[in-house]
Amino acid sequence: MTSLNRRRFLQLSGAGAATTAISQMLGQSIARAASIPANRATGSIKDVEHVVVFMQENRAFDHYFGTLKGVRGFGDPHPAILPSGKDAFHQANLTREVTPFHPTAQNLGMQFMEDLDHSWEQTHLAFNAGKNDKWLPEKTDATMAFYEREDIPFHFALADAFTVCDQYHCSVLGPTDPNRYYMFAGGDDPFGKGNGSGVGGGPDLWNAETGYTWSTYPEELEKAGVSWKVYQDIGEGLDPAHYEGWTGNPYIGNYGDNSLLYFLQYQNAKPGTPLYDKARTGTNLLGGHDDLFRIFREDVRNGTLPQVSYVVPPETYTEHSNWPPNYGAWYTANILDILTSNPEVWSKTAVLFMYDENDGFYDHIVPPHPNNPQIPGASTVSTYGEWYDGRMTSSGKADVPGHYGLGVRVPMIVVSPWSMGGWVCSETFDHTSIVRFLEARFGVKSPNITPWRRAVCGDLTSAFDFSASGGAVPTMPGTAAYKPSDADIASAKRYPSYVPVPPTVNTMPTQEKGIRPSRALGYALDLEATLDAGTLSAHWTNRGALGAHVQVRSNLLPQAPYSYTIGAGAALDASWILGPEYDVQMHGPAGWYRRLAGTTAAADVRVSVAADGKADHAQFRIMNTGAAKAELTLKDAYGRGSQSLSLNPGQGKTVVVPTQGGWYDLTVTASADPKFVRVLAGRLENAGTLTSDPQLGR
């Protein structure tokens, strides 16, 4: 193994009698992982020889990590404004308003919590065409429940030790199976006719599980000679008929989460063929619970772990919302404990740990989504294959029309020797990003990823530093106490006993103070906005290497919000006819934000921002395009106070404002128009040391 002191590893892993104690704690698996140096043969993605894709069930990002320091959680300084006029954290129904709340049950991480509706139809109704304001009536008050560090300490510690992705979205505004098709196959039969009439039996928007024929990514890997395998249990059998409405023992089987088995090519595969041997075999817990990790452990110990592994746990350990999340923590700790038990394997392994969808739990970020294809000019990138028009499909079902994704934000942690140190990566990702990471590593392209997703969603490589050699060993919580009890196993308990109820008085939760190091990203989005004769015009220029989705929101424009996609290296124009007053907010990738408000009768002041080399400051160009002198006040949100600026008609001036961790957030107001506001916020990716947004933990 490259750069590894084996004696030091044995000390850290607890050789001899200490092995038992560490095995009982299991939380030490993360500390041990952090102690093993990365393979650095090439200093590139080629050093990754094993990718473990570990997808859990049904948790939203804010639901788990809204209070985690240094991520875009409850401290977001620029959340979307709802039609109610309040920010996105204030959801309401006809009787009351509810903000995110922490349930009062003791030992919350071990509670069997309520499972909420997460269907295609009700999730689209909650999303409400981007207004994102119907979560309470569609999902109940429990949608706003969240966990804190003391509830799920292992999850927080995992994020603190490695790299958390705080702009990772599930792929579909809908349930488990459609989202897993994007992970296993790159899409949900997207290229039928671009209208939901798939050629491979799809799309499946309802967990229909009727037998499909479009290609899957493991088939592409197999053709290219890249080894792969599904690690699962088969104790209840792998007949798809077992999955829908299954009532077996939840400690046995794969919970139907190996969605490859809904494809006819796998169902018809025979023993001795790759699709059968690699996707339809596994452990058998009918022979005893100790068999749970047997095959995975043997492959790691023997050095036969494939290049691509898919981990599919039994229901009990999936973190599905009606199961305790800490059961999943115990399972995850075991997976990491096994991987780190062989330093030669771990030094070359990347674990992509994420959740398939959000259940019915709320997240405040409005997902990037393509425009309706019937509205031309809103994207420089083709949205073919991204819109379902509600037509009947070959499965005999139809539903409300809408875009496939992106879906709600879900947790994603990149666990590897190249992602240690408590980083945050804020590039836009979804489940197709997993496939694209495998594309980048093994050179095997998926035919099912749409052009829009390839433009807007990254390939996860930005979450890694392949020049990294190691990191500090963290202090980790143990998980031994989270192992399901024999009594639970005997009773096959699987239904919730706890329904979270919000307090009678709303109190907005706070986010942990502090920042974390942040990965550099390829975004460079500029805006030129012009107000002329009651029309607001926008010209976006994307100088970055990544596509950018921008949502334009305004409660003073009757058809808002609007969705726009500007591909890398492209430009896009849009305009809106305003009333006497206007207030338009633009939300882009990685915290990019613009607000333009005022009265159309007043003079216009244009404000733009430009990067300044690699210096830790932003340059703002402020131009008075009106006929009267402008008396302006400039306020820096990062605590450097206010300054005044006078501009004669036609005069412009460049103002320099230092950044913090690359971040800027400037508000400009005018004495002549009390409603005039210009806000420019974001990050200069070419600044010096980059961090998470310092405003998040204030």
Side-chain angles (χ1 to χ4, degrees), residues 560-640:
Y562 305 91
S563 181
Y564 300 94
T565 303
I566 308 99
L572 185 68
D573 294 294
S575 62
W576 310 273
I577 298 175
L578 307 176
E581 297 182 9
Y582 63 96
D583 192 340
V584 176
Q585 309 103 43
M586 301 180 184
H587 298 265
W592 187 93
Y593 175 77
R594 300 291 186 268
R595 181 186 174 200
L596 303 98
T599 56
T600 53
D604 186 31
V605 175
R606 300 178 189 173
V607 188
S608 60
V609 63
D612 181 30
K614 293 187 177 181
D616 290 332
H617 60 264
Q619 289 187 345
F620 296 90
R621 182 65 180 172
I622 305 175
M623 174 68 71
N624 181 4
T625 59
K629 187 175 183 179
E631 300 290 344
L632 308 174
T633 299
L634 283 57
K635 184 177 181 180
D636 173 21
Y638 293 106
R640 297 184 180 89

Side-chain angles (χ1 to χ4, degrees), residues 337-397:
D337 189 62
I338 291 168
L339 285 168
T340 57
S341 68
N342 186 333
E344 192 72 30
V345 170
W346 176 252
S347 71
K348 303 174 182 179
T349 297
V351 179
L352 307 179
F353 177 72
M354 85 304 298
Y355 295 74
D356 57 13
E357 40 110 340
N358 63 299
D359 197 86
F361 294 109
Y362 182 67
D363 183 84
H364 80 281
I365 295 291
V366 180
H369 55 283
N371 60 293
N372 187 324
Q374 297 177 353
I375 303 175
S379 176
T380 67
V381 178
S382 170
T383 59
Y384 177 70
E386 286 292 346
W387 190 264
Y388 173 65
D389 65 3
R391 295 185 187 184
M392 195 72 70
T393 68
S394 59
S395 63
K397 289 191 176 183

Side-chain angles (χ1 to χ4, degrees), residues 4-19 22 28 31-32 35 343 473:
L4 177 65
N5 183 320
R6 292 183 181 275
R7 178 175 296 177
R8 174 61 175 153
F9 170 76
L10 290 173
Q11 292 171 345
L12 289 163
S13 63
T19 301
I22 286 184
Q28 292 297 325
R32 181 166 59 191
S35 73
V473 179

Side-chain angles (χ1 to χ4, degrees), residues 283-285 287-295 297 330 483:
T283 57
N284 191 339
L285 295 186
H289 195 257
D290 291 340
D291 200 47
L292 183 60
F293 302 105
R294 174 179 54 82
I295 297 177
R297 182 180 290 109
W330 177 83
K483 182 179 180 179

